[in-house]
Amino acid sequence: MSDVLLSVIVPVYNVEKYLDKCVQSIVDQTYSNLEIILVDDGSPDKCPQLCEKWAQRDNRIKVVHKKNGGLGDARNAGLDIASGDYVAFVDSDDHIAPMMYETLMKKAVECKLDVVKSGFMREYHTGKIENFIDMDARQDIGKEAILKLIPLHIPKFGRKLTYTCTSCTSVYKRSIVPYFVSERRYVSEDLIFTVECMLRANSFAYIPQSYYYYYVRDDSITHQYNEKTFVLIKSTTSYLDNILTKIGPDIAPQYIYNKVHHLIKGVILPSDLSPRAKREAIEGIVKDKEYQSYLHRCDISKCGTGLKGIKNKLGLSLQCSGHSRLYYMFSKFDMIQTKLRKD
């Protein structure tokens, strides 16, 4: 097993405060046959110098300096020079447990698997840590079962068991790994990457343990609505629709309905916009022709918005009919109800 090279790609941008902890956690892995690729994505802080210092300390580390192009583009730059039999990804403000790659690579190599995935920890700036074993234990499953898993990776608001689409909790056989799309064109480059990998994979296993520490930065959370978000959601939906129609023609409609529900309830309504601006934003979304075409293909019984029974049907009905003002009132009432239940 130890003679199989694993390339670990780390995109680096404006994380001077976190980078050393991240790289140290990779260097300290009990699986030592690593190629560590630090991709400086035009970082404006001291990260370029820190990357070079790490390369001087450990001969397994390679550094790529490039013009800023975003997360997906930086990962692709790493893929361009990766020479490992398997590849993995770590975000530069996160860190990993010492046994992560030994555990995943042992499973991958011994069972000749294309993808091995594990759970993760969500670590908050307050020190709070949440453990996410986000999939029931599945071992060594084949192509037919993998195709059934793909729809379960599509986010559904309110679903208890979340099959996370992050690229950072897995090791992948290099031969099946696609390039990343840009997060500047799509709402989630990780979602599209994960779906593409699952379509290419012939074997898969999940290890129900958590080794990856995803750091939730207090400066990365925002409730400000940006109109471009809806555009990105539509482009992502179109991409998914093109590649998943044969697996399930209703997957993309469910995806956009749930993403819009979350966008309205979780971003637009809690935002600092005026009531009028909120109504106008919701109207622009609900009456969008492309969105309407997806809504009319949507099976409400399969949509996990967190709404139940008549509320779920009413929400979809109001959107399908283009009643944006009524839907605004309906969503506001539902948000207030949710807050009262939590309190």
Side-chain angles (χ1 to χ4, degrees):
M1 178 189 76
S2 60
D3 62 341
V4 179
L5 181 65
L6 172 65
S7 297
V8 183
I9 297 171
V10 186
V12 178
Y13 182 80
N14 206 22
V15 287
E16 178 184 333
K17 181 178 176 182
Y18 312 98
L19 185 60
D20 281 343
K21 184 176 182 179
C22 172
V23 179
Q24 188 70 58
S25 74
I26 303 172
V27 168
D28 289 344
Q29 288 293 295
T30 55
Y31 190 87
S32 60
N33 194 10
L34 302 176
E35 175 186 58
I36 305 167
I37 303 173
L38 306 180
V39 183
D40 162 34
D41 191 32
S43 188
D45 57 5
K46 294 181 180 178
C47 282
Q49 295 92 320
L50 290 175
C51 289
E52 290 297 339
K53 286 182 180 179
W54 273 108
Q56 293 170 12
R57 291 169 58 181
D58 194 314
N59 61 15
R60 297 174 299 173
I61 296 177
K62 299 178 181 179
V63 180
V64 176
H65 297 287
K66 60 180 289 294
K67 183 180 178 181
N68 179 255
L71 180 61
D73 189 61
R75 287 173 174 168
N76 290 341
L79 285 172
D80 281 338
I81 68 166
S83 56
D85 304 284
Y86 283 81
V87 296
F89 304 93
V90 178
D91 286 344
S92 50
D93 51 357
D94 300 334
H95 62 280
I96 57 179
M99 289 285 293
M100 179 170 178
Y101 291 139
E102 181 179 349
T103 306
L104 271 60
M105 287 297 290
K106 181 179 180 181
K107 186 69 177 175
V109 174
E110 290 182 356
C111 300
K112 298 180 180 179
L113 302 175
D114 289 338
V115 181
V116 180
K117 180 184 177 80
S118 69
F120 67 99
M121 302 279 191
R122 185 172 285 163
E123 183 178 3
Y124 295 87
H125 65 281
T126 59
K128 177 184 176 182
I129 295 179
E130 293 178 324
N131 187 17
F132 287 82
I133 304 298
D134 60 331
M135 190 182 290
D136 50 346
R138 296 174 184 267
Q139 301 293 320
D140 311 341
I141 67 175
K143 188 67 177 182
E144 186 177 343
I146 290 174
L147 294 178
K148 292 179 180 178
L149 270 185
I150 291 175
L152 300 178
H153 282 80
I154 310 301
K156 286 192 175 183
F157 186 80
R159 184 168 62 191
K160 290 183 179 179
L161 185 61
T162 303
Y163 288 51
T164 181
C165 59
T166 179
S167 61
C168 292
T169 60
S170 305
V171 294
Y172 306 91
K173 197 168 186 179
R174 179 66 181 90
S175 59
I176 71 150
V177 173
Y179 280 109
F180 284 85
V181 298
S182 173
E183 71 281 4
R184 296 175 182 181
R185 294 184 58 198
Y186 301 94
V187 76
S188 174
E189 76 288 340
D190 265 356
L191 172 59
I192 292 174
F193 174 85
T194 297
V195 170
E196 292 274 19
C197 275
M198 297 291 272
L199 286 171
R200 296 178 181 205
N202 290 307
S203 54
F204 169 93
Y206 182 80
I207 296 176
Q209 297 172 14
S210 296
Y211 304 100
Y212 191 92
Y213 288 81
Y214 167 66
Y215 187 63
V216 183
R217 293 159 58 179
D218 57 343
D219 59 353
S220 66
I221 300 172
T222 177
H223 290 292
Q224 297 303 312
Y225 174 58
N226 185 334
E227 290 182 2
K228 188 180 178 182
T229 303
F230 180 55
V231 175
L232 296 178
I233 290 174
K234 288 195 295 180
S235 64
T236 305
T237 304
S238 177
Y239 192 107
L240 292 173
D241 205 22
N242 288 332
I243 63 175
L244 295 178
T245 299
K246 291 182 180 179
I247 296 177
D250 56 348
I251 295 175
Q254 290 175 47
Y255 169 78
I256 194 169
Y257 176 61
N258 283 279
K259 290 296 288 185
V260 165
H261 178 86
H262 177 67
L263 178 64
I264 291 172
K265 186 177 178 179
V267 179
I268 295 177
L269 291 178
S271 73
D272 297 331
L273 294 173
S274 68
R276 180 177 179 177
K278 290 177 183 179
R279 287 197 303 269
E280 290 176 350
I282 293 172
E283 181 178 8
I285 292 171
V286 171
K287 293 189 175 182
D288 180 86
K289 290 182 179 180
E290 186 179 353
Y291 179 52
Q292 279 289 322
S293 70
Y294 284 116
L295 284 182
H296 285 85
R297 290 170 49 194
C298 202
D299 183 351
I300 192 64
S301 66
K302 297 180 181 179
C303 293
T305 59
L307 300 176
K308 296 179 180 179
I310 189 66
K311 283 176 67 179
N312 208 8
K313 292 180 181 179
L314 180 59
L316 181 60
S317 176
L318 289 173
Q319 287 199 48
C320 284
S321 303
H323 293 308
S324 57
R325 287 188 173 240
L326 286 176
Y327 186 73
Y328 166 76
M329 295 170 62
F330 165 82
S331 298
K332 193 172 181 180
F333 175 73
D334 178 56
M335 187 182 73
I336 292 171
Q337 265 198 329
T338 301
K339 187 176 185 302
L340 290 174
R341 283 197 301 270
K342 288 183 178 179
D343 291 343

PDB file of all heavy atoms in Angstrom, residues 149-175:
ATOM      1  N   LEU A 149     -26.763   6.301  -5.780  1.00  0.00           N
ATOM      2  CA  LEU A 149     -26.271   7.233  -4.760  1.00  0.00           C
ATOM      3  C   LEU A 149     -26.242   8.674  -5.247  1.00  0.00           C
ATOM      4  O   LEU A 149     -26.382   9.606  -4.461  1.00  0.00           O
ATOM      5  CB  LEU A 149     -24.858   6.851  -4.331  1.00  0.00           C
ATOM      6  CG  LEU A 149     -24.656   5.891  -3.165  1.00  0.00           C
ATOM      7  CD1 LEU A 149     -23.180   5.777  -2.867  1.00  0.00           C
ATOM      8  CD2 LEU A 149     -25.415   6.356  -1.936  1.00  0.00           C
ATOM      9  N   ILE A 150     -26.048   8.859  -6.550  1.00  0.00           N
ATOM     10  CA  ILE A 150     -25.835  10.206  -7.086  1.00  0.00           C
ATOM     11  C   ILE A 150     -26.959  11.180  -6.729  1.00  0.00           C
ATOM     12  O   ILE A 150     -26.674  12.283  -6.240  1.00  0.00           O
ATOM     13  CB  ILE A 150     -25.610  10.154  -8.617  1.00  0.00           C
ATOM     14  CG1 ILE A 150     -24.251   9.501  -8.917  1.00  0.00           C
ATOM     15  CG2 ILE A 150     -25.654  11.553  -9.224  1.00  0.00           C
ATOM     16  CD1 ILE A 150     -23.962   9.292 -10.390  1.00  0.00           C
ATOM     17  N   PRO A 151     -28.243  10.828  -6.913  1.00  0.00           N
ATOM     18  CA  PRO A 151     -29.301  11.786  -6.557  1.00  0.00           C
ATOM     19  C   PRO A 151     -29.292  12.170  -5.077  1.00  0.00           C
ATOM     20  O   PRO A 151     -29.732  13.267  -4.717  1.00  0.00           O
ATOM     21  CB  PRO A 151     -30.591  11.027  -6.913  1.00  0.00           C
ATOM     22  CG  PRO A 151     -30.171  10.036  -7.938  1.00  0.00           C
ATOM     23  CD  PRO A 151     -28.802   9.620  -7.550  1.00  0.00           C
ATOM     24  N   LEU A 152     -28.754  11.286  -4.229  1.00  0.00           N
ATOM     25  CA  LEU A 152     -28.727  11.561  -2.795  1.00  0.00           C
ATOM     26  C   LEU A 152     -27.646  12.573  -2.426  1.00  0.00           C
ATOM     27  O   LEU A 152     -27.604  13.057  -1.299  1.00  0.00           O
ATOM     28  CB  LEU A 152     -28.521  10.261  -2.015  1.00  0.00           C
ATOM     29  CG  LEU A 152     -29.598   9.206  -2.215  1.00  0.00           C
ATOM     30  CD1 LEU A 152     -29.274   7.936  -1.425  1.00  0.00           C
ATOM     31  CD2 LEU A 152     -30.969   9.724  -1.806  1.00  0.00           C
ATOM     32  N   HIS A 153     -26.770  12.892  -3.366  1.00  0.00           N
ATOM     33  CA  HIS A 153     -25.780  13.950  -3.135  1.00  0.00           C
ATOM     34  C   HIS A 153     -26.326  15.333  -3.498  1.00  0.00           C
ATOM     35  O   HIS A 153     -25.699  16.344  -3.185  1.00  0.00           O
ATOM     36  CB  HIS A 153     -24.516  13.681  -3.962  1.00  0.00           C
ATOM     37  CG  HIS A 153     -23.630  12.633  -3.372  1.00  0.00           C
ATOM     38  ND1 HIS A 153     -23.875  11.287  -3.513  1.00  0.00           N
ATOM     39  CD2 HIS A 153     -22.498  12.726  -2.631  1.00  0.00           C
ATOM     40  CE1 HIS A 153     -22.933  10.603  -2.895  1.00  0.00           C
ATOM     41  NE2 HIS A 153     -22.082  11.451  -2.349  1.00  0.00           N
ATOM     42  N   ILE A 154     -27.464  15.374  -4.170  1.00  0.00           N
ATOM     43  CA  ILE A 154     -28.044  16.658  -4.553  1.00  0.00           C
ATOM     44  C   ILE A 154     -28.709  17.274  -3.324  1.00  0.00           C
ATOM     45  O   ILE A 154     -29.590  16.670  -2.727  1.00  0.00           O
ATOM     46  CB  ILE A 154     -29.088  16.489  -5.679  1.00  0.00           C
ATOM     47  CG1 ILE A 154     -28.498  15.654  -6.833  1.00  0.00           C
ATOM     48  CG2 ILE A 154     -29.563  17.835  -6.169  1.00  0.00           C
ATOM     49  CD1 ILE A 154     -27.268  16.235  -7.466  1.00  0.00           C
ATOM     50  N   PRO A 155     -28.283  18.471  -2.907  1.00  0.00           N
ATOM     51  CA  PRO A 155     -28.780  19.068  -1.670  1.00  0.00           C
ATOM     52  C   PRO A 155     -30.303  19.182  -1.611  1.00  0.00           C
ATOM     53  O   PRO A 155     -30.945  19.564  -2.586  1.00  0.00           O
ATOM     54  CB  PRO A 155     -28.135  20.460  -1.663  1.00  0.00           C
ATOM     55  CG  PRO A 155     -26.935  20.320  -2.521  1.00  0.00           C
ATOM     56  CD  PRO A 155     -27.311  19.328  -3.589  1.00  0.00           C
ATOM     57  N   LYS A 156     -30.844  18.817  -0.459  1.00  0.00           N
ATOM     58  CA  LYS A 156     -32.272  18.989  -0.201  1.00  0.00           C
ATOM     59  C   LYS A 156     -32.423  19.669   1.148  1.00  0.00           C
ATOM     60  O   LYS A 156     -32.035  19.129   2.175  1.00  0.00           O
ATOM     61  CB  LYS A 156     -33.000  17.639  -0.201  1.00  0.00           C
ATOM     62  CG  LYS A 156     -33.190  17.052  -1.581  1.00  0.00           C
ATOM     63  CD  LYS A 156     -34.167  15.889  -1.533  1.00  0.00           C
ATOM     64  CE  LYS A 156     -34.453  15.370  -2.938  1.00  0.00           C
ATOM     65  NZ  LYS A 156     -35.461  14.296  -2.938  1.00  0.00           N
ATOM     66  N   PHE A 157     -32.970  20.848   1.132  1.00  0.00           N
ATOM     67  CA  PHE A 157     -33.119  21.646   2.341  1.00  0.00           C
ATOM     68  C   PHE A 157     -34.012  20.910   3.345  1.00  0.00           C
ATOM     69  O   PHE A 157     -35.109  20.498   3.039  1.00  0.00           O
ATOM     70  CB  PHE A 157     -33.743  22.992   1.977  1.00  0.00           C
ATOM     71  CG  PHE A 157     -33.814  23.959   3.122  1.00  0.00           C
ATOM     72  CD1 PHE A 157     -32.698  24.692   3.492  1.00  0.00           C
ATOM     73  CD2 PHE A 157     -34.981  24.138   3.821  1.00  0.00           C
ATOM     74  CE1 PHE A 157     -32.762  25.591   4.528  1.00  0.00           C
ATOM     75  CE2 PHE A 157     -35.050  25.036   4.869  1.00  0.00           C
ATOM     76  CZ  PHE A 157     -33.937  25.761   5.221  1.00  0.00           C
ATOM     77  N   GLY A 158     -33.519  20.722   4.579  1.00  0.00           N
ATOM     78  CA  GLY A 158     -34.324  20.102   5.615  1.00  0.00           C
ATOM     79  C   GLY A 158     -34.145  18.598   5.729  1.00  0.00           C
ATOM     80  O   GLY A 158     -34.710  17.990   6.624  1.00  0.00           O
ATOM     81  N   ARG A 159     -33.359  17.978   4.836  1.00  0.00           N
ATOM     82  CA  ARG A 159     -33.192  16.530   4.915  1.00  0.00           C
ATOM     83  C   ARG A 159     -32.254  16.186   6.068  1.00  0.00           C
ATOM     84  O   ARG A 159     -31.199  16.784   6.236  1.00  0.00           O
ATOM     85  CB  ARG A 159     -32.607  15.999   3.595  1.00  0.00           C
ATOM     86  CG  ARG A 159     -32.500  14.469   3.565  1.00  0.00           C
ATOM     87  CD  ARG A 159     -32.202  13.964   2.159  1.00  0.00           C
ATOM     88  NE  ARG A 159     -30.918  14.456   1.665  1.00  0.00           N
ATOM     89  CZ  ARG A 159     -30.525  14.346   0.412  1.00  0.00           C
ATOM     90  NH1 ARG A 159     -31.331  13.798  -0.482  1.00  0.00           N
ATOM     91  NH2 ARG A 159     -29.350  14.800   0.023  1.00  0.00           N
ATOM     92  N   LYS A 160     -32.624  15.213   6.872  1.00  0.00           N
ATOM     93  CA  LYS A 160     -31.844  14.869   8.050  1.00  0.00           C
ATOM     94  C   LYS A 160     -30.500  14.252   7.676  1.00  0.00           C
ATOM     95  O   LYS A 160     -29.466  14.582   8.239  1.00  0.00           O
ATOM     96  CB  LYS A 160     -32.636  13.909   8.948  1.00  0.00           C
ATOM     97  CG  LYS A 160     -33.820  14.552   9.646  1.00  0.00           C
ATOM     98  CD  LYS A 160     -34.520  13.576  10.563  1.00  0.00           C
ATOM     99  CE  LYS A 160     -35.694  14.231  11.270  1.00  0.00           C
ATOM    100  NZ  LYS A 160     -36.400  13.276  12.157  1.00  0.00           N
ATOM    101  N   LEU A 161     -30.504  13.322   6.729  1.00  0.00           N
ATOM    102  CA  LEU A 161     -29.261  12.675   6.315  1.00  0.00           C
ATOM    103  C   LEU A 161     -28.725  13.375   5.082  1.00  0.00           C
ATOM    104  O   LEU A 161     -29.311  13.303   4.013  1.00  0.00           O
ATOM    105  CB  LEU A 161     -29.510  11.194   6.011  1.00  0.00           C
ATOM    106  CG  LEU A 161     -28.262  10.355   5.666  1.00  0.00           C
ATOM    107  CD1 LEU A 161     -27.282  10.360   6.834  1.00  0.00           C
ATOM    108  CD2 LEU A 161     -28.658   8.930   5.326  1.00  0.00           C
ATOM    109  N   THR A 162     -27.647  14.091   5.262  1.00  0.00           N
ATOM    110  CA  THR A 162     -27.084  14.881   4.169  1.00  0.00           C
ATOM    111  C   THR A 162     -25.880  14.162   3.574  1.00  0.00           C
ATOM    112  O   THR A 162     -24.911  13.891   4.263  1.00  0.00           O
ATOM    113  CB  THR A 162     -26.645  16.265   4.673  1.00  0.00           C
ATOM    114  OG1 THR A 162     -27.756  16.913   5.266  1.00  0.00           O
ATOM    115  CG2 THR A 162     -26.119  17.109   3.528  1.00  0.00           C
ATOM    116  N   TYR A 163     -25.935  13.879   2.299  1.00  0.00           N
ATOM    117  CA  TYR A 163     -24.808  13.267   1.612  1.00  0.00           C
ATOM    118  C   TYR A 163     -23.960  14.403   1.052  1.00  0.00           C
ATOM    119  O   TYR A 163     -24.217  14.898  -0.036  1.00  0.00           O
ATOM    120  CB  TYR A 163     -25.311  12.360   0.501  1.00  0.00           C
ATOM    121  CG  TYR A 163     -25.945  11.088   0.988  1.00  0.00           C
ATOM    122  CD1 TYR A 163     -26.937  11.108   1.965  1.00  0.00           C
ATOM    123  CD2 TYR A 163     -25.559   9.857   0.493  1.00  0.00           C
ATOM    124  CE1 TYR A 163     -27.533   9.955   2.414  1.00  0.00           C
ATOM    125  CE2 TYR A 163     -26.157   8.685   0.938  1.00  0.00           C
ATOM    126  CZ  TYR A 163     -27.136   8.742   1.902  1.00  0.00           C
ATOM    127  OH  TYR A 163     -27.722   7.580   2.343  1.00  0.00           O
ATOM    128  N   THR A 164     -22.961  14.822   1.796  1.00  0.00           N
ATOM    129  CA  THR A 164     -22.213  16.007   1.434  1.00  0.00           C
ATOM    130  C   THR A 164     -21.495  15.843   0.098  1.00  0.00           C
ATOM    131  O   THR A 164     -21.036  14.758  -0.248  1.00  0.00           O
ATOM    132  CB  THR A 164     -21.182  16.362   2.519  1.00  0.00           C
ATOM    133  OG1 THR A 164     -20.489  17.541   2.136  1.00  0.00           O
ATOM    134  CG2 THR A 164     -20.162  15.254   2.702  1.00  0.00           C
ATOM    135  N   CYS A 165     -21.444  16.940  -0.641  1.00  0.00           N
ATOM    136  CA  CYS A 165     -20.819  16.884  -1.963  1.00  0.00           C
ATOM    137  C   CYS A 165     -19.418  17.479  -1.950  1.00  0.00           C
ATOM    138  O   CYS A 165     -18.841  17.749  -2.997  1.00  0.00           O
ATOM    139  CB  CYS A 165     -21.688  17.620  -2.987  1.00  0.00           C
ATOM    140  SG  CYS A 165     -21.980  19.354  -2.599  1.00  0.00           S
ATOM    141  N   THR A 166     -18.822  17.694  -0.783  1.00  0.00           N
ATOM    142  CA  THR A 166     -17.474  18.234  -0.732  1.00  0.00           C
ATOM    143  C   THR A 166     -16.475  17.286  -1.368  1.00  0.00           C
ATOM    144  O   THR A 166     -16.623  16.055  -1.304  1.00  0.00           O
ATOM    145  CB  THR A 166     -17.036  18.526   0.713  1.00  0.00           C
ATOM    146  OG1 THR A 166     -15.694  19.040   0.708  1.00  0.00           O
ATOM    147  CG2 THR A 166     -17.062  17.274   1.569  1.00  0.00           C
ATOM    148  N   SER A 167     -15.446  17.839  -1.985  1.00  0.00           N
ATOM    149  CA  SER A 167     -14.400  17.020  -2.597  1.00  0.00           C
ATOM    150  C   SER A 167     -13.279  16.694  -1.609  1.00  0.00           C
ATOM    151  O   SER A 167     -12.370  15.926  -1.935  1.00  0.00           O
ATOM    152  CB  SER A 167     -13.800  17.755  -3.801  1.00  0.00           C
ATOM    153  OG  SER A 167     -13.213  18.975  -3.378  1.00  0.00           O
ATOM    154  N   CYS A 168     -13.349  17.248  -0.405  1.00  0.00           N
ATOM    155  CA  CYS A 168     -12.203  17.202   0.506  1.00  0.00           C
ATOM    156  C   CYS A 168     -12.175  16.022   1.477  1.00  0.00           C
ATOM    157  O   CYS A 168     -11.214  15.881   2.223  1.00  0.00           O
ATOM    158  CB  CYS A 168     -12.129  18.505   1.302  1.00  0.00           C
ATOM    159  SG  CYS A 168     -11.716  19.958   0.321  1.00  0.00           S
ATOM    160  N   THR A 169     -13.190  15.191   1.493  1.00  0.00           N
ATOM    161  CA  THR A 169     -13.209  14.078   2.448  1.00  0.00           C
ATOM    162  C   THR A 169     -12.925  12.743   1.782  1.00  0.00           C
ATOM    163  O   THR A 169     -13.180  11.693   2.366  1.00  0.00           O
ATOM    164  CB  THR A 169     -14.561  14.014   3.178  1.00  0.00           C
ATOM    165  OG1 THR A 169     -15.606  13.830   2.209  1.00  0.00           O
ATOM    166  CG2 THR A 169     -14.825  15.276   3.963  1.00  0.00           C
ATOM    167  N   SER A 170     -12.410  12.776   0.559  1.00  0.00           N
ATOM    168  CA  SER A 170     -12.222  11.542  -0.214  1.00  0.00           C
ATOM    169  C   SER A 170     -10.819  11.448  -0.799  1.00  0.00           C
ATOM    170  O   SER A 170     -10.095  12.439  -0.903  1.00  0.00           O
ATOM    171  CB  SER A 170     -13.233  11.489  -1.369  1.00  0.00           C
ATOM    172  OG  SER A 170     -14.560  11.637  -0.921  1.00  0.00           O
ATOM    173  N   VAL A 171     -10.466  10.228  -1.205  1.00  0.00           N
ATOM    174  CA  VAL A 171      -9.332  10.020  -2.113  1.00  0.00           C
ATOM    175  C   VAL A 171      -9.917   9.459  -3.405  1.00  0.00           C
ATOM    176  O   VAL A 171     -10.866   8.673  -3.388  1.00  0.00           O
ATOM    177  CB  VAL A 171      -8.262   9.067  -1.529  1.00  0.00           C
ATOM    178  CG1 VAL A 171      -7.591   9.694  -0.320  1.00  0.00           C
ATOM    179  CG2 VAL A 171      -8.838   7.698  -1.182  1.00  0.00           C
ATOM    180  N   TYR A 172      -9.360   9.899  -4.538  1.00  0.00           N
ATOM    181  CA  TYR A 172      -9.887   9.533  -5.848  1.00  0.00           C
ATOM    182  C   TYR A 172      -8.784   8.929  -6.708  1.00  0.00           C
ATOM    183  O   TYR A 172      -7.658   9.437  -6.720  1.00  0.00           O
ATOM    184  CB  TYR A 172     -10.411  10.772  -6.589  1.00  0.00           C
ATOM    185  CG  TYR A 172     -11.422  11.585  -5.843  1.00  0.00           C
ATOM    186  CD1 TYR A 172     -11.010  12.643  -5.021  1.00  0.00           C
ATOM    187  CD2 TYR A 172     -12.786  11.335  -5.960  1.00  0.00           C
ATOM    188  CE1 TYR A 172     -11.943  13.409  -4.334  1.00  0.00           C
ATOM    189  CE2 TYR A 172     -13.721  12.100  -5.279  1.00  0.00           C
ATOM    190  CZ  TYR A 172     -13.291  13.133  -4.467  1.00  0.00           C
ATOM    191  OH  TYR A 172     -14.210  13.897  -3.780  1.00  0.00           O
ATOM    192  N   LYS A 173      -9.122   7.881  -7.430  1.00  0.00           N
ATOM    193  CA  LYS A 173      -8.184   7.357  -8.417  1.00  0.00           C
ATOM    194  C   LYS A 173      -7.989   8.428  -9.483  1.00  0.00           C
ATOM    195  O   LYS A 173      -8.949   8.982 -10.010  1.00  0.00           O
ATOM    196  CB  LYS A 173      -8.721   6.066  -9.029  1.00  0.00           C
ATOM    197  CG  LYS A 173      -7.653   5.256  -9.742  1.00  0.00           C
ATOM    198  CD  LYS A 173      -8.160   3.854 -10.067  1.00  0.00           C
ATOM    199  CE  LYS A 173      -7.041   3.009 -10.654  1.00  0.00           C
ATOM    200  NZ  LYS A 173      -7.511   1.630 -10.942  1.00  0.00           N
ATOM    201  N   ARG A 174      -6.749   8.744  -9.792  1.00  0.00           N
ATOM    202  CA  ARG A 174      -6.456   9.867 -10.691  1.00  0.00           C
ATOM    203  C   ARG A 174      -7.135   9.724 -12.049  1.00  0.00           C
ATOM    204  O   ARG A 174      -7.574  10.717 -12.642  1.00  0.00           O
ATOM    205  CB  ARG A 174      -4.935   9.985 -10.884  1.00  0.00           C
ATOM    206  CG  ARG A 174      -4.499  11.106 -11.810  1.00  0.00           C
ATOM    207  CD  ARG A 174      -4.827  12.462 -11.206  1.00  0.00           C
ATOM    208  NE  ARG A 174      -4.451  13.561 -12.070  1.00  0.00           N
ATOM    209  CZ  ARG A 174      -5.231  14.113 -13.005  1.00  0.00           C
ATOM    210  NH1 ARG A 174      -6.467  13.627 -13.207  1.00  0.00           N
ATOM    211  NH2 ARG A 174      -4.830  15.132 -13.713  1.00  0.00           N
ATOM    212  N   SER A 175      -7.267   8.520 -12.527  1.00  0.00           N
ATOM    213  CA  SER A 175      -7.792   8.296 -13.878  1.00  0.00           C
ATOM    214  C   SER A 175      -9.259   8.666 -14.038  1.00  0.00           C
ATOM    215  O   SER A 175      -9.736   8.850 -15.157  1.00  0.00           O
ATOM    216  CB  SER A 175      -7.593   6.834 -14.293  1.00  0.00           C
ATOM    217  OG  SER A 175      -8.245   5.962 -13.384  1.00  0.00           O
TER     218      SER A 175
END
